[in-house]
Amino acid sequence: MEVLRDLSACPRPPGGTAVTIGAYDGVHLGHQAVLRLVRELATARGLDAVCLTFDRHPAEVVRPESAPKLLTTLEQKVELLG
């Protein structure tokens, strides 16, 4: 697993990608199912699988007064996603 913290540093894979985007806080069974499906679809199509997540919950940006408390730190999330 490769972790990039800047989209400008992200190389464009020549064959394309299958991407999932989400907060992925806690990486629960539902998250795991989505990640597994993206990997299966990517493999079947000869694509790279990519998981794009956030260093803060998106609600912290758009409505900080009611943003949920996080279950994991970014470092924990990266470990769980690995």
Side-chain angles (χ1 to χ4, degrees), residues 3 10 16-17 47 56 58 63 79 82:
V3 176
C10 184
T17 56
L47 305 173
R56 335 175 247 174
R63 52 179 174 79
E79 185 176 330

Side-chain angles (χ1 to χ4, degrees), residues 12 18 22-25 35 67 70 74 78 81:
R12 175 176 269 172
Y24 290 106
D25 188 31
L35 294 164
L70 296 179
L74 180 59
V78 168
L81 288 169

Side-chain angles (χ1 to χ4, degrees), residues 16-20 37-43 45 47-51:
T17 56
V19 180
T20 180
L37 177 61
V38 168
R39 180 168 287 177
E40 290 169 4
L41 292 171
T43 299
R45 291 166 173 78
L47 305 173
D48 287 340
V50 172
C51 174

Side-chain angles (χ1 to χ4, degrees), residues 26-62:
V27 192
H28 57 66
L29 293 176
H31 291 145
Q32 292 172 34
V34 169
L35 294 164
R36 193 170 26 261
L37 177 61
V38 168
R39 180 168 287 177
E40 290 169 4
L41 292 171
T43 299
R45 291 166 173 78
L47 305 173
D48 287 340
V50 172
C51 174
L52 190 146
T53 191
F54 308 97
D55 62 348
R56 335 175 247 174
H57 194 285
E60 280 190 46
V61 176
V62 296

